[in-house]
């Protein structure tokens, strides 16, 4: 039997065979719109609830859950059916909430500064494993409205293209989320960006740029050797024209590496022609890449320089926290201790 959210409407109907057709619709709605466990579907007779619960096991079992920022940030470490571990982070923002989901267990892109990249690739997540992360987070976010889903957890979403796009369609269809609130973040998988441009899905594309010249980007983001900047920028332009959506560039500021005045100039030259919005965050140092993030004064100077060059920028808010939920740090340390980690790191999230 498929997992709860890998099940198709026909699978749910099959479990409820012999019952009136509206029962399957009730169950499907309960699972998706309301995020209910079958046992909570009180409109169904007890025997049907039990049948659904037995036939459609959840894909995600919480191996650890940590809460920070007075309940405004929740991080889950999920254990999947085969033992793989992935993380989801829920971030509150006023009356709304954003969930950061994983698309793969591990990642094959090998960006040296990213904890997931350092650990290597394990496997793709299924469509249902992705959807279930959002369902769980949306339920937990209540009464806040889950308005945004960002594919910025573990993995490279465009390297798991079919399942990620199928999950996005489920989020907009079955869960009723707006495609405009969904961001797919990529290291620059050019064929994936081109395909995505043709899907008719108005999602936001975020490109993890981090360097605006090929020599430096080759070092920071190995995939750049396959799809260098000019090719990547052309694909971004195609996505922008096809969807009408504004592009984002992610830039993790690394002390003395990509935070110099010349880096700002090069970045502005890439961002301006595409009208791209730049998100700056200081790098979160990871065990395999001890370069510190740019200190606050340097972040401000870089931001001001970019602004003066006519680029739209958001500096991501860094909040202190007791949990390991930082960008690029997901899963760090879990091999050692798959439980809530003690206070020691800081993490970042985008401000609205
Ligand atoms: N593979 C996709 C999505 C996952 S990473 C991508 O690369 O876009 C989500 C974001 O976190 C990316 O912008 C990534 O570059 C950034 N990131 C990774 N490691 C980081 C670190 N140590 N500090 C700050 N940001 C990091």
């Amino acid at each position: 039997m498929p997992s709860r959210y890998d099940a198709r409407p026909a699978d749910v109907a099959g479990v409820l065979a012999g019952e009136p057709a509206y029962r399957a619709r009730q169950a499907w709605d309960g699972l998706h719109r309301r995020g209910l466990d079958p046992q909570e579907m009180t409109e169904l007779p007890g025997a049907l609830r039990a049948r659904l619960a037995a036939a459609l096991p959840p894909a995600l079992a919480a191996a650890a859950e940590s809460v920070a920022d007075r309940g405004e940030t929740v991080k889950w470490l999920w254990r999947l059916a085969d033992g793989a571990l992935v993380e989801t982070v829920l971030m509150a923002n006023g009356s709304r909430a954003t969930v950061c989901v994983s698309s793969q267990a591990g990642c094959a892109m090998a960006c040296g500064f990213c904890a997931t990249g350092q650990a290597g690739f394990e496997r793709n997540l299924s469509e249902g494993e992705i959807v279930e992360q959002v369902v769980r987070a949306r339920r937990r976010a209540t009464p806040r409205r889950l308005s945004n889903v960002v594919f910025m957890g573990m993995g490279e979403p465009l390297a798991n293209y079919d399942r990620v796009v199928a999950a996005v369609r489920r989020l907009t269809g079955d869960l009723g989320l707006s495609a405009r609130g969904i961001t797919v973040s990529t290291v620059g998988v050019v064929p994936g960006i081109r395909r995505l441009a043709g899907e008719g899905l108005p999602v936001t594309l975020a490109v993890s740029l981090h360097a605006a010249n090929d020599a430096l980007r080759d070092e920071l983001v190995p995939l750049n050797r396959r799809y260098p900047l000019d090719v990547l920028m052309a694909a971004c332009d195609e996505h922008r024209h096809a969807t009408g959506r504004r592009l984002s560039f992610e830039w993790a500021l690394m002390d003395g590496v990509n935070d110099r005045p010349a880096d700002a100039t090069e970045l502005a030259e890439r961002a301006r022609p595409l009208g791209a919005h730049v998100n700056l965050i200081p790098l979160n140092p990871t065990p395999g890449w001890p370069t510190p993030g740019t200190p606050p004064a340097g972040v401000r100077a870089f931001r001001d320089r970019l602004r003066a060059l006519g680029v739209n920028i958001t500096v991501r808010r860094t909040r202190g926290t007791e949990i390991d939920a930082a960008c690029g740090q997901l899963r760090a340390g879990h091999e050692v201790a798959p439980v809530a980690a003690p206070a020691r790191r800081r993490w970042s999230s985008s401000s609205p």
Side-chain angles (χ1 to χ4, degrees), residues 111-227:
C111 302
F113 56 88
C114 173
T116 310
Q118 289 160 18
F121 179 69
E122 221 173 319
R123 72 165 169 89
N124 284 322
L125 297 196
S126 69
E127 175 187 327
E129 287 167 338
I130 297 169
V131 170
E132 193 173 329
Q133 293 175 64
V134 179
V135 170
R136 300 280 195 111
R138 176 153 84 163
R139 182 170 170 154
R140 178 57 179 266
T142 328
R144 291 188 172 94
R145 183 171 74 84
L146 186 80
S147 55
N148 293 79
V149 177
V150 297
F151 283 83
M152 292 190 182
M154 296 163 65
E156 167 50 49
L158 297 184
N160 185 15
Y161 187 93
D162 291 339
R163 295 175 191 90
V164 164
V165 168
V168 168
R169 293 197 191 283
R170 292 275 297 282
L171 299 181
T172 59
D174 294 331
L175 270 74
L177 299 177
S178 161
R180 290 167 186 277
I182 300 176
T183 297
V184 173
S185 181
T186 179
V187 82
V189 180
V190 163
I193 295 173
R194 293 225 146 98
R195 253 182 101 185
L196 191 63
E199 296 281 354
L201 275 175
V203 296
T204 298
L205 178 69
V207 174
S208 299
L209 207 60
H210 308 313
N213 70 72
D214 283 318
L216 180 57
R217 197 161 192 274
D218 280 353
E219 254 178 67
L220 298 178
V221 179
L223 193 73
N224 195 69
R225 294 171 210 156
R226 190 130 129 232
Y227 305 114

Side-chain angles (χ1 to χ4, degrees), residues 19-170:
E19 302 297 326
Y22 73 88
R23 288 295 187 203
R25 282 196 302 275
Q26 265 178 338
W28 189 262
D29 256 32
L31 290 174
H32 293 87
R33 296 264 158 181
R34 300 164 67 201
L36 296 178
D37 192 86
Q39 298 292 4
E40 298 167 323
M41 296 178 187
T42 50
E43 68 278 21
L44 297 183
L48 298 188
R49 287 186 239 160
R51 236 200 272 169
L52 285 167
L56 302 173
L60 312 178
E65 179 183 314
S66 6
V67 179
D69 300 318
R70 297 179 314 286
E72 300 228 310
T73 306
V74 183
K75 187 191 71 166
W76 292 273
L77 171 68
W78 305 112
R79 190 181 312 281
L80 308 179
D82 63 352
L85 296 170
V86 295
E87 293 191 347
T88 304
V89 183
L90 174 66
M91 296 162 281
N93 222 316
S95 63
R96 304 191 305 171
T98 295
V99 64
C100 176
V101 297
S102 295
S103 55
Q104 299 180 316
C107 185
M109 298 297 123
C111 302
F113 56 88
C114 173
T116 310
Q118 289 160 18
F121 179 69
E122 221 173 319
R123 72 165 169 89
N124 284 322
L125 297 196
S126 69
E127 175 187 327
E129 287 167 338
I130 297 169
V131 170
E132 193 173 329
Q133 293 175 64
V134 179
V135 170
R136 300 280 195 111
R138 176 153 84 163
R139 182 170 170 154
R140 178 57 179 266
T142 328
R144 291 188 172 94
R145 183 171 74 84
L146 186 80
S147 55
N148 293 79
V149 177
V150 297
F151 283 83
M152 292 190 182
M154 296 163 65
E156 167 50 49
L158 297 184
N160 185 15
Y161 187 93
D162 291 339
R163 295 175 191 90
V164 164
V165 168
V168 168
R169 293 197 191 283
R170 292 275 297 282

